[in-house]
Amino acid sequence: MRFLLLLAFFVSSALAADTPNIVIILADDYGYGSAGCYGADGSLVQTPNIDRLAREGRRFTDANTTSSVCSPTRYSVMTGRYCWRTSLTHEVLGTFSPLHIETTRLNMASLLKKHGYQTAAIGKWHLGYGTDDGSLKWRTDYTAELSPGPLDIGFDYHFGVPSNHGDLTGVFVENRFVYGLRSGKIPTGMKLKGPDSDDPNFKATYGPEDTENGKATILDLDAPRRVNQRVMPLLTTKAAEWITQQKKGTPFFLYYTPVAVHNPVTPDKDMAGKSKAGLYGDWIQELDRSVGGVLKALDEKGVAQDTLVIFSSDNGGVFTPTRDTVQTQAYKTGLKVNADLRGGKHDVWEGGFKVPFITRWPAKIPAGTVCDDMISVADILATTAAIVGEPLPAAATAAEDSFNALPAFLGTKDAAPTRDHMFIHSADGVFAIRKGPWKWIEGVPVSEIKLGVRKSRASQFKAQLYNVKEDPAETVDVSTQNPEVVKELSALVNRYRDGGYSREMPPIVEKKLPPALPPLAGKEVLAQDFKALPAKPWIMTRGTWQVRDEAIWNPTPKTEEQGATLTGPLPITDGTLQFEMKLHTAGRVSLRIHTAGKHSFRIVVSSTQIEITKNPDAGQDKSQTEPLARQKLKLNAGEWQAVRITFKGDEVTAQIAGVTAKGRHAVIAEAKEQLNLIAFDGEAGFKNLRVVQ
């Protein structure tokens, strides 16, 4: 009997060691140089708990996020896939975006759930809720069930901030509903849990002053509102309590995502003045205290030995030294938020991607060690699959960009590097690729970015090459001296980007051109090739229009609100208008049409979508638009595209690049009088305009 008990003990211990609990702590906007173990000055900020992880585990010096903003990186952490392969090609998801992870896609939670893990997502979510039903006015309804959501992709429990700290909801979500929702679309007989009336973590109202930009319109919800200074303490408590509730012998996975150190910077009042780096330093120390709370829960539960803890960040720290921010004030005290790296959040520079990354698993990972392997946060999924012994599906179907970093985690002697190349992608949609010591920046942003961004980040919008081993601060572009490297890396970008996956070499994809539009049929009533500046009645406003390459080009407008406009006649009721356009550097092109009835509507084309909208009438507020149609697109901004607009009764049909959008409205049936070709946020070209009826 004693022998059997001993055998059971050893078997249980072996299983625990080989199937660890897994805790991911993904901080928000936490820069490479913001922890003591990564060189932060201890006289300015102190991070004893993060430093403890490094002391007891393995610290990585070349760990990287997939994006320099949050939602795309969070998608990659969960799925092992670069987010730019989805519809999110730049920036982040909105507060009212649907769930971005497909419910059928392999992800961390579904993988571990399959292996018997209990799973929880606690903290900032920012990966959307619900399913877009295709209607033009759809958006996440926070008064109703928030499904699909985390519980539909493998999580057993969810308690979180919907999108950002300081977002316009001001609420928490628990499982499938807003936490404490008092009225809304709640199923009959269901009672939603909420806080006690005197809970210091909540308040009755939440205003613009509580939001990140200080002026957002707050969502109207009958629910308890967050107290910003108490969000971190509450999330820490929720994470620790969930750990203590787990049954011994059942492995668990906690995806814990603190809101610190994202704006607004709101450390709890007991942390005020604790650092020498101002309010931002206090906020960093608030994050560290939260890490300590999770570690304490693991210790008290007696599971620390058999728990893999991964600490990292979703992107680099905010670095805008030309602006007077709390981060700038901390920088002026000497705190190098992103160490000596160039740039920060949003940027294509290393400061936007290289982040702290520490692994601790006392049963397996050697303590106090350092790894210089290049890894990506996208590798967590493949590494987890290796830990639980789950073969990954084919690269074309799941974990497309995830590499097994377990040998690097464990410090396996003579192990091959985790990966030989890695993509990174800026908030503006600029691709860069790392391989060996090289980093090649393609320098092409998406067309939708605003004019102000085009100016402020212009240095990032050109091709360039850096040797980041010799020049980690990216000070010298060496593309001219290394044309063969540029040729190799630019070819790899296209191969991996077009091929759909990168953990294996994909086949070369031959791009197929969309079907050509049939010839225009009907009586021609207007022809303008734009090989010369058009004469009256054409009008060109906002700048000096130019003709080159047998097309007309607008100048870059002076403000984001106003686009350069080319105005001409449109003498039809029913008929077809066709022209060619090149987006070039413009964010979007709008064809605005005025009718004899003094109404107007517009067809807007960007590199990612085409939409048809009725404009507000005279005297109406600018927000009173009526969306009529929207379709996704994938345009190359550097190529000419034929656009065809057909009017028949109250229906308008827009065609471009093999995509068709149709909308109906009474004003479309009215006689047309005027067309306006408008380019926003950059320069666009137009040529070969024809109108037939």
Side-chain angles (χ1 to χ4, degrees), residues 8-9 96 127 129 131 156 167 202 204 233 257 276 283 354 367 378 421 461 467 537 578 599 603 620-621 632 660 666:
F9 171 78
F96 302 103
L127 284 169
Y129 298 99
T131 299
D156 297 307
D167 65 25
F202 295 89
T257 49
K276 300 297 183 183
W283 198 212
K354 189 172 285 189
H421 73 280
F461 303 153
N467 185 322
Q578 181 172 302
H599 301 291
I603 297 96
Q620 288 185 317
D621 185 82
K632 292 179 180 178
T660 299

Side-chain angles (χ1 to χ4, degrees), residues 22-78:
I22 298 175
V23 175
I24 294 176
I25 305 175
L26 191 70
D28 201 351
D29 295 355
Y30 191 60
Y32 187 79
S34 298
C37 56
Y38 280 92
D41 187 340
S43 68
L44 297 173
V45 293
Q46 294 185 2
T47 55
N49 296 294
I50 297 171
D51 297 346
R52 174 192 169 191
L53 281 175
R55 190 171 61 252
E56 297 176 356
R58 192 159 172 84
R59 180 173 63 87
F60 285 74
T61 64
D62 194 4
N64 302 264
T65 62
T66 55
S67 173
S68 54
V69 280
C70 62
S71 293
T73 290
R74 291 163 191 269
Y75 177 89
S76 297
V77 168
M78 290 298 300

Side-chain angles (χ1 to χ4, degrees), residues 83-114:
C83 192
W84 46 261
R85 297 195 190 280
T86 73
S87 59
L88 186 61
T89 59
H90 67 293
E91 282 296 345
V92 300
L93 294 171
T95 303
F96 302 103
S97 295
L99 178 67
H100 202 65
I101 299 174
E102 307 95 312
T103 55
T104 56
R105 174 168 288 282
L106 177 71
N107 69 78
M108 285 287 293
S110 64
L111 169 70
L112 292 171
K113 192 69 186 166
K114 179 181 175 183

Side-chain angles (χ1 to χ4, degrees), residues 303-325:
V303 296
Q305 180 75 8
D306 299 315
T307 299
L308 169 61
V309 177
I310 300 173
F311 173 83
S312 193
S313 177
D314 59 358
N315 49 253
V318 173
F319 186 70
T320 52
T322 56
R323 296 172 55 198
D324 185 19
T325 64

